[in-house]
Amino acid sequence: MTDATATSADKPASDKPADEWKPEPRQWTWKDLFTAPMLAFKPKCMVVSAVTLAVIGLWYWLYAQCEFSHAYTLQSNLIDWAWGLVALVIFSLGASLVAVFLKADLLDDEFLSFGEALTQYKSRIVPALLVPVFLVALLGGVYVALIYLPALASSIPFVGPTLYAILYPLVFLFSLFGFLLSIAVWLSTFVFPSIIAIRKHGWFDNVVDTIEAVGTKPHILAASLLLSLIMMGFASWIGLGAMAQLKSQTRYLPGDANAVQQTETRAKEFVQVVLDSFDQHVSAHVDPSHSLLQAGASTLSSAFYGTPSGSSYSRGAYQQNVTGPIAGVWQGIILALILGYVANLFIAGGMLTYLLVREDDYWDDEDLEDLDKLAKELEEEAKRDQGAPAAAAPVAVVATPPPADAGTPPPAAAT
């Protein structure tokens, strides 16, 4: 028996058949949400999120410069929707790139360089663009069909108010459905960037996955979002608290403490100009129920930096023009990274929540087609291994010693 035949024959016949092979996905629980703070702490992702928030802020600043932003007409309302849709698309593009980094760390257990992440991100750009567009278009279609058109019909003289009064319960149900759908669409922003990063199917499949994730277990999504917001609040409080502590210490320094305080005051004004401008332009023109970003900007501007007040002492030119702006630039960078980290917490919480409500999609980070291909390869390899002993056995049984050479006489008998 040859070595190969012996090796194949030594394998136990009770090995599990290949058709029973199945990967065991990890079971996710709500406790995994508490790993979001560590998952979100990625400097590259913090920079991406900070840039994303800055672009959204600039987009709404441009909106505030337009004349129609102060009007209350049907045309201005449509422009509001379009402007908000672009902001949501900007968020989707940035959040999907961050989700690619988080997915690699969480599911693939690998470190991605920025170039590698961009390579994976290229195939997700189209879903990142079309998923929010479809969701907002769906909400807009329902709003027009079930809310605006009935309200328009009710404006018909005499007949309209009469029908409105008689059919008020039906109109109320239409409005209730539209309001619940709006909550579902805005709740989907919590999970759809992670769905785009994890699942590599077509963009419409990503829409279906998002609707299933929100519609299957909305109470889990709402509770996870609340927990994520609490963690985001604590992260903001810790980061801003460290900056506030430095400001408070300038009052008790020996030496030229007045110059340090002047530097801090100027730096505060330098950063507050940006926050106040963002707060005034965005807060006045964005529906608070549709913008957590606006609420965060308002909180930062009022709670941390306080109300602008004049200085009780004369400010030196050096602190006014040199040290104050330098400290203000550093504070602005640190503040941007804090906001980027907070945004990462939101995205990381959404990814962990999606894995919790859609456990059967865990292996989709490698794509279902890749998993099926791997399973078939393992099955074929197992069949080859099982077929090797059966094919080698007849050779071992019929094997006989080689015949003697015809030209060699048989050995003589012993005498």
Side-chain angles (χ1 to χ4, degrees):
M1 183 180 294
T2 62
D3 293 340
T5 306
T7 303
S8 301
D10 291 339
K11 291 185 178 181
S14 60
D15 283 349
K16 182 184 291 187
D19 56 355
E20 294 183 12
W21 179 86
K22 184 179 180 181
E24 294 295 334
R26 173 181 172 181
Q27 299 297 316
W28 301 91
T29 66
W30 65 272
K31 297 179 182 179
D32 291 310
L33 284 170
F34 291 101
T35 64
M38 291 300 299
L39 182 64
F41 191 75
K42 293 182 178 298
K44 288 181 289 188
C45 296
M46 292 163 63
V47 172
V48 172
S49 295
V51 172
T52 302
L53 296 180
V55 173
I56 294 176
L58 177 61
W59 177 246
Y60 274 111
W61 179 82
L62 293 174
Y63 175 84
Q65 310 307 310
C66 301
E67 296 180 358
F68 55 76
S69 62
H70 302 280
Y72 295 95
T73 61
L74 177 61
Q75 181 182 2
S76 65
N77 194 23
L78 292 176
I79 295 176
D80 288 346
W81 275 70
W83 217 273
L85 174 59
V86 174
L88 185 60
V89 169
I90 295 173
F91 166 78
S92 176
L93 290 172
S96 298
L97 178 56
V98 172
V100 169
F101 282 101
L102 301 184
K103 169 250 182 185
D105 187 24
L106 188 63
L107 299 182
D108 299 338
D109 194 22
E110 63 180 3
F111 175 82
L112 292 181
S113 66
F114 200 82
E116 293 171 338
L118 287 178
T119 301
Q120 296 186 18
Y121 177 67
K122 289 179 181 178
S123 62
R124 295 168 170 84
I125 292 179
V126 173
L129 289 170
L130 295 183
V131 169
V133 170
F134 183 89
L135 292 173
V136 173
L138 176 64
L139 178 61
V142 170
Y143 179 85
V144 171
L146 299 183
I147 300 176
Y148 180 76
L149 290 181
L152 181 63
S154 65
S155 64
I156 301 174
F158 299 105
V159 178
T162 303
L163 292 176
Y164 181 83
I166 296 175
L167 301 178
Y168 184 82
L170 181 62
V171 176
F172 169 76
L173 292 178
F174 287 164
S175 180
L176 180 62
F177 177 77
F179 187 74
L180 292 176
L181 182 63
S182 65
I183 295 177
V185 169
W186 292 113
L187 187 61
S188 69
T189 60
F190 184 49
V191 292
F192 81 72
S194 301
I195 294 175
I196 293 173
I198 293 176
R199 306 207 63 176
K200 297 186 290 184
H201 303 297
W203 69 269
F204 189 75
D205 291 328
N206 292 145
V207 173
V208 174
D209 296 334
T210 302
I211 295 175
E212 288 181 353
V214 176
T216 302
K217 299 177 180 179
H219 58 290
I220 295 181
L221 260 71
S224 299
L225 177 58
L226 178 60
L227 180 58
S228 299
L229 292 176
I230 293 174
M231 290 189 290
M232 291 165 63
F234 271 103
S236 301
W237 175 69
I238 292 173
L240 299 178
M243 295 178 69
Q245 181 173 255
L246 287 176
K247 295 177 183 294
S248 64
Q249 294 303 313
T250 60
R251 304 174 184 175
Y252 311 108
L253 294 176
D256 194 4
N258 191 43
V260 180
Q261 190 171 5
Q262 291 178 17
T263 299
E264 275 287 0
T265 302
R266 176 57 178 160
K268 168 183 173 180
E269 294 176 353
F270 193 83
V271 179
Q272 191 173 4
V273 167
V274 179
L275 281 177
D276 282 348
S277 177
F278 184 87
D279 184 28
Q280 292 171 6
H281 294 304
V282 176
S283 302
H285 306 288
V286 181
D287 186 351
S289 64
H290 294 171
S291 178
L292 292 175
L293 181 62
Q294 169 267 331
S298 178
T299 302
L300 286 174
S301 180
S302 60
F304 177 63
Y305 284 101
T307 304
S309 58
S311 175
S312 58
Y313 50 84
S314 59
R315 189 174 303 159
Y318 187 70
Q319 289 80 18
Q320 175 76 15
N321 301 317
V322 180
T323 60
I326 292 176
V329 169
W330 279 116
Q331 289 184 11
I333 294 174
I334 295 173
L335 180 60
L337 292 178
I338 292 174
L339 292 177
Y341 176 73
V342 171
N344 286 355
L345 267 177
F346 181 82
I347 301 169
M351 176 168 288
L352 293 167
T353 301
Y354 174 67
L355 293 173
L356 174 62
V357 299
R358 298 288 294 168
E359 293 176 352
D360 56 320
D361 290 338
Y362 169 73
W363 285 100
D364 285 340
D365 64 307
E366 297 293 342
D367 213 356
L368 289 176
E369 289 80 3
D370 296 341
L371 182 61
D372 292 340
K373 181 179 179 181
L374 175 62
K376 290 178 181 178
E377 292 176 354
L378 292 176
E379 180 180 0
E380 293 174 358
E381 181 180 352
K383 288 181 178 179
R384 288 195 301 267
D385 292 342
Q386 292 175 359
V395 178
V397 173
V398 300
T400 58
D405 190 356
T408 304
T415 56

